[in-house]
Amino acid sequence: MTSPSQVGVVEKTAPGGPEGKAPAGLAPRQLMWRRFRRDRTGVVSAWVVAFFFAVAVLAPVISWLYGKDPYTTYGLDRPELLDPLTGYPMKPNGGIDGEFWFGVEPKLGRDVLTQLVYGIRTSLLIGLAATVLSTLTGIVIGVVAGYAGGRTDYFLGRLIDLLLSFPQQLFFVAFMPVVTALFVSPQKETPTYFRVTALVMVLWLLGWMQLARLLRGQVLSLREREFVEAARVTGASPWRIVRKELLPNLVTPILVQSTLMLPTFVTTEAALSFLGVGVVEPTPDWGRMFAKGANFYEGDITYMFFPGIAMVVFVVAFNLLGDSVRDAMDPKTTR
């Protein structure tokens, strides 16, 4: 059975085109890729996003080539780097020079460049894990609620409404200490891996509802379409109908929502670390760097400058990429 997303699209060529070839049929993926390549904003955003992911993956290699790491307190080992009275870098602009390309951290003198590189890795790891889990959960619950209907739809819909009613930011701040206290004794230091896992779980718990509600509405509309009815008449199982007829028509909202979800999770994780309930010392993280920079901005605003610029560029690039993906997959859009 063929659904609308599986119908080939014909690309017309002008008379007397190259070598006089006849019009060629293009699959939806080919047409989407062609439309995306024509969008300069989308292509540039994709390259910026790819750069951030490459930096995150290659953080140990960058640290090895650079010759420094984010944990060594260079300022304490070398007193000439920091002012003994204030703790701020002795050299101007946060201590930027040929040895420390992005300067050094006030008070401790850790290298800012390697902290930023490893901070990208931490934030993207948490954001990507939460995005994958939230997307999968949203797909399952949204499709089940929309296709099953009846009581199943009613109860899942009320669950989504209940979770959406929670004040998310306040819940994040209040729930993180509760999670750590349940599994880690107050007398013991919370391991970094447990904090990261708890952050992912909390972000996932309150991150899937909007996608589920969107997909539920899409499935409610699609299940009444002719191609779904035809598949049902031929005796196709519900799983086959969902896999072959419904999911291919849900690719666009899933991709768009996922690309918008990731930067949201990254900024939320940074906010939690900034407030002291996320990643803590000495693990490199954007939010922790913001928290430290907020204490030093009067004497050294440079330390906050680099993570601030990196986060703004990352969020803007990902949002623009999501818009470009949506436009490329929507045949009604003309750019």
Side-chain angles (χ1 to χ4, degrees):
M1 195 58 57
T2 303
S3 62
S5 66
Q6 297 168 319
V7 177
V9 181
V10 176
E11 181 79 5
K12 295 182 179 179
T13 57
E19 301 181 6
K21 291 184 179 180
L26 291 178
R29 289 183 180 178
Q30 295 172 315
L31 181 60
M32 186 208 76
W33 176 242
R34 178 170 296 188
R35 290 169 61 85
F36 181 79
R37 286 188 303 174
R38 293 172 182 168
D39 186 351
R40 294 183 179 179
T41 302
V43 172
V44 172
S45 300
W47 279 109
V48 173
V49 170
F51 170 77
F52 275 95
F53 275 95
V55 169
V57 172
L58 298 176
V61 178
I62 295 173
S63 176
W64 175 72
L65 293 174
Y66 181 52
K68 295 177 178 60
D69 64 78
Y71 302 103
T72 301
T73 54
Y74 298 98
L76 300 182
D77 299 335
R78 298 168 53 184
E80 72 275 8
L81 294 176
L82 300 177
D83 189 303
L85 298 178
T86 64
Y88 293 123
M90 294 286 288
K91 295 183 179 180
N93 300 320
I96 296 177
D97 58 14
E99 183 180 4
F100 297 94
W101 295 357
F102 284 10
V104 294
E105 177 189 20
K107 304 297 183 181
L108 297 178
R110 292 179 293 195
D111 180 71
V112 176
L113 174 58
T114 51
Q115 284 195 63
L116 182 64
V117 169
Y118 275 86
I120 295 173
R121 196 180 204 193
T122 303
S123 298
L124 281 183
L125 172 64
I126 296 173
L128 186 61
T131 299
V132 171
L133 291 174
S134 299
T135 301
L136 293 176
T137 306
I139 292 172
V140 171
I141 294 182
V143 172
V144 169
Y147 186 76
R151 292 184 178 180
T152 302
D153 183 25
Y154 176 80
F155 285 116
L156 290 178
R158 300 299 73 77
L159 174 63
I160 293 173
D161 293 338
L162 175 64
L163 293 178
L164 284 175
S165 67
F166 288 172
Q168 293 193 6
Q169 298 297 333
L170 181 60
F171 185 84
F172 287 146
V173 174
F175 194 65
M176 276 298 299
V178 174
V179 173
T180 55
L182 287 175
F183 297 95
V184 181
S185 173
Q187 288 76 27
K188 297 182 179 179
E189 184 178 354
T190 305
T192 300
Y193 75 88
F194 184 84
R195 284 188 172 274
V196 171
T197 303
L199 276 171
V200 172
M201 293 298 105
V202 172
L203 292 173
W204 167 44
L205 180 63
L206 292 180
W208 57 267
M209 294 84 69
Q210 293 182 348
L211 177 61
R213 172 175 280 185
L214 175 64
L215 296 182
R216 171 188 173 273
Q218 295 281 337
V219 173
L220 284 173
S221 174
L222 288 171
R223 72 177 186 178
E224 306 300 331
R225 298 283 293 274
E226 294 82 359
F227 63 92
V228 176
E229 289 294 335
R232 193 177 292 121
V233 168
T234 60
S237 64
W239 166 242
R240 180 176 177 83
I241 293 175
V242 169
R243 184 167 55 92
K244 293 293 186 179
E245 310 299 338
L246 296 180
L247 286 180
N249 290 282
L250 300 175
V251 172
T252 298
I254 291 172
L255 283 179
V256 173
Q257 288 299 313
S258 298
T259 54
L260 297 177
M261 200 182 295
L262 179 57
T264 301
F265 284 146
V266 169
T267 53
T268 302
E269 181 275 328
L272 292 175
S273 298
F274 178 84
L275 296 173
V277 294
V279 178
V280 297
E281 292 278 8
T283 305
D285 180 78
W286 280 349
R288 187 189 60 74
M289 293 182 71
F290 273 116
K292 295 276 288 187
N295 298 324
F296 305 140
Y297 75 94
E298 293 182 352
D300 181 22
I301 198 173
T302 309
Y303 183 72
M304 186 183 287
F305 176 79
F306 291 109
I309 292 297
M311 181 167 290
V312 169
V313 172
F314 175 79
V315 172
V316 170
F318 236 108
N319 287 334
L320 292 176
L321 178 61
D323 292 339
S324 298
V325 171
R326 179 194 59 205
D327 294 341
M329 301 189 73
D330 186 357
K332 299 179 182 178
T333 303
T334 303
R335 293 177 69 93

